[in-house]
Amino acid sequence: MLTRRSFFHVAAGVAGGSLISPAAMAELPPIAEARPENEAYWAKVAAQYDPAPDFINLEQGYFGMMARPVAEEYKRNIDYLNAHSSRFLRQQFDGPGIEAIRAQIAAAVGADVSEIAITRGATESLQNLIVNYKQVKAGDTIMYADLDYDATQYAMNELALRRGADVAVVRIPEPPSRQAILDAYAQAMQRHPRTRLLLLTHISHRTGLTLPVAELVQMARQRGIEVIADAAQSWGQTDFMVADLKADFIGFNLHKWLGAPLGVGFMYIRKARLADIGVHMSDQDYAATDIRSRVHSGTVNTANIMTVPAAFRFHEQIGVANKSARLKYLRNYWVERVRNVKGLQILTPDDPAMYGASTSFRFAGKTSKEDNQRLAKRLMDEHGIFTVSRNGPLGGSCVRVTPALFTQPRQLDRLVQAIATLAQT
């Protein structure tokens, strides 16, 4: 078992790419075998997880289940933290320990460590970025889309209320296409020429739609509009760095597709733009020139953060490009087999640049929140398949399906059969 001293040594080493902890390594075949259709390889990946056996979990979008090596490291960290308590926190973790992990996160997204602050998740990151954005004034407009995350919409509304600004909502067209999305945002910006701040979600938690964020950021900048980007659902299943999104302010999760314990994420603020995000709640623990003054979470579940290096090690054993390809393969596996189901509407387009693991569906004429809550319930009660209903899309509510790395094609065959059966009743 790792000592806490060696834990910090390993965390720092992984940030520099030099050390690996045997306690957190899985027994996997060579990464060269990680082709998306190679079921022998992915069966060995699936064997590293311990999902409940009494239902099929197709709701990976909420919380990315920890692989067994990560969960075991998390348990060790909880036990050590519980035993050594505040002495460990004050003398080791609160200084070099958390800074080693912060440096690892920064390296992973191509940022300077001064541009990263660890948070309790993307929601906290984005709320703080939004409500503390300083450049909105009375009479300005702030803009978000109907597919953006609820809590970020609330934060945008709060910012408008505080500053006396107006709110504009972009309706994402159905069926979406890259050009239709670009046109929808361009038209919204033209209708609202005083727009100052735009929220963009990289991958929607409602439908799985991937936006062309970099192009939209460029479009916004040409009109003097700043962008806050939501990468809660994308980072860890999609291969990108902060520079690829072109946004100066981004919120991330580590507990979804990276597979860290629930309740840890981070925010990114480009160094030159730090002054445009106000200090959170007049924080004085850090200087106004330090990004860490933009979040003050209080006492957090430190074992979550301590386990982030183990999540990175498992993630890197597989490779983000391989994860992305496998998740898209699983998505296509079930989508292609239900295309001819009468009345079925697939909300996420087939352009590979516009989807990841998640895709949502509904039945024609069944568009209410209650309709799709019942549909998700029937999938669980009658077929043992756990999904989730989502509200907000232009054409009505839907059910979201999100496979995981431990999902097997035979389980998706069960979903295909269930959808065909439900279409007839």
Side-chain angles (χ1 to χ4, degrees):
M1 184 173 77
L2 290 174
T3 66
R4 297 311 95 181
R5 181 176 179 181
S6 69
F7 164 81
F8 291 132
H9 184 52
V10 168
V14 172
S18 61
L19 291 175
I20 295 206
S21 165
M25 292 294 289
E27 294 183 5
L28 294 177
I31 200 168
E33 297 181 19
R35 299 180 303 279
E37 72 284 357
N38 184 357
E39 297 303 331
Y41 175 87
W42 293 105
K44 292 181 179 179
V45 172
Q48 298 295 321
Y49 292 86
D50 297 302
D54 55 337
F55 68 97
I56 297 172
N57 187 352
L58 294 180
E59 211 323 54
Q60 174 79 357
Y62 191 175
F63 165 40
M65 183 185 297
M66 289 178 281
R68 191 180 307 112
V70 182
E72 290 172 352
E73 177 71 357
Y74 183 42
K75 294 170 188 175
R76 285 192 290 269
N77 288 333
I78 290 172
D79 288 343
Y80 189 92
L81 182 61
N82 192 52
H84 293 79
S85 188
S86 54
R87 179 184 177 187
F88 166 71
L89 290 175
R90 292 190 183 280
Q91 295 186 353
Q92 292 180 276
F93 184 79
D94 288 347
I98 195 168
E99 283 306 285
I101 296 168
R102 184 175 168 227
Q104 182 180 9
I105 293 168
V109 296
D112 188 87
V113 68
S114 67
E115 298 174 316
I116 298 297
I118 296 174
T119 67
R120 290 175 293 184
T123 297
E124 181 175 62
S125 300
L126 291 160
Q127 286 176 330
N128 287 16
L129 289 170
I130 292 166
V131 299
N132 293 320
Y133 180 73
K134 297 165 64 174
Q135 302 305 321
V136 170
K137 59 184 182 298
D140 286 342
T141 298
I142 62 175
M143 183 179 292
Y144 58 80
D146 53 4
L147 295 187
D148 290 328
Y149 188 57
D150 304 77
T152 58
Q153 293 186 12
Y154 307 154
M156 292 288 276
N157 293 339
E158 175 67 16
L159 176 65
L161 182 65
R162 292 183 184 185
R163 305 291 173 79
D166 297 319
V167 174
V169 179
V170 181
R171 306 296 178 186
I172 303 298
E174 291 185 16
S177 67
R178 176 182 167 278
Q179 191 58 53
I181 290 168
L182 292 172
D183 290 345
Y185 277 95
Q187 292 162 13
M189 293 175 196
Q190 290 169 2
R191 289 194 302 271
H192 302 280
R194 295 199 61 177
T195 300
R196 178 60 178 159
L197 181 65
L198 171 66
L199 174 66
L200 291 176
T201 300
H202 194 191
I203 296 183
S204 169
H205 79 294
R206 302 183 195 274
T207 67
L209 175 69
T210 301
L211 290 185
V213 169
E215 292 175 78
L216 290 169
V217 170
Q218 290 178 319
M219 179 190 298
R221 282 189 176 144
Q222 291 170 0
R223 294 165 170 82
I225 302 170
E226 299 287 357
V227 171
I228 294 175
D230 177 351
Q233 286 284 349
S234 58
W235 195 71
Q237 68 155 312
T238 302
D239 191 5
F240 69 92
M241 298 287 194
V242 290
D244 297 322
L245 296 189
K246 301 189 182 301
D248 292 335
F249 316 106
I250 313 174
F252 294 85
N253 273 319
L254 292 167
H255 59 234
K256 289 189 187 289
W257 296 102
L258 185 75
L262 189 62
V264 61
F266 62 100
M267 70 164 65
Y268 162 81
I269 303 175
R270 189 165 66 87
K271 189 184 304 185
R273 302 303 310 282
L274 180 62
D276 291 315
I277 304 296
V279 170
H280 187 63
M281 301 290 288
S282 299
D283 181 84
Q284 295 183 30
D285 284 356
Y286 296 98
T289 54
D290 192 319
I291 189 176
R292 290 170 292 182
S293 66
R294 272 58 176 183
V295 58
H296 193 135
S297 303
T299 304
V300 298
N301 185 344
T302 306
N304 290 356
I305 302 171
M306 293 168 65
T307 309
V308 167
F312 268 114
R313 288 192 287 275
F314 186 80
H315 173 76
E316 290 161 3
Q317 275 190 271
I318 300 169
V320 64
N322 294 323
K323 288 175 68 173
S324 179
R326 174 61 175 181
L327 291 167
K328 288 186 175 186
Y329 174 84
L330 293 171
R331 178 265 182 194
N332 288 334
Y333 184 95
W334 74 267
V335 169
E336 290 170 359
R337 287 163 173 77
V338 298
R339 290 195 186 281
N340 295 325
V341 173
K342 185 177 180 180
L344 187 71
Q345 300 173 348
I346 301 293
L347 275 64
T348 316
D350 291 327
D351 180 346
M354 298 183 71
Y355 66 82
S358 297
T359 285
S360 293
F361 71 92
R362 68 167 81 95
F363 288 111
K366 302 290 186 181
T367 61
S368 72
K369 175 181 177 179
E370 294 74 20
D371 285 334
N372 287 278
Q373 286 177 334
R374 282 193 293 268
L375 178 56
K377 187 174 187 302
R378 289 190 65 189
L379 280 168
M380 183 63 195
D381 292 349
E382 299 172 22
H383 301 276
I385 299 171
F386 186 66
T387 57
V388 65
S389 62
R390 299 282 79 176
N391 307 312
L394 182 63
S397 296
C398 54
V399 169
R400 187 183 75 192
V401 174
T402 310
L405 293 182
F406 55 79
T407 303
Q408 301 172 42
R410 60 179 176 79
Q411 295 174 317
L412 296 174
D413 289 335
R414 290 261 304 270
L415 173 66
V416 170
Q417 183 57 52
I419 290 173
T421 300
L422 291 170
Q424 299 171 7
T425 59

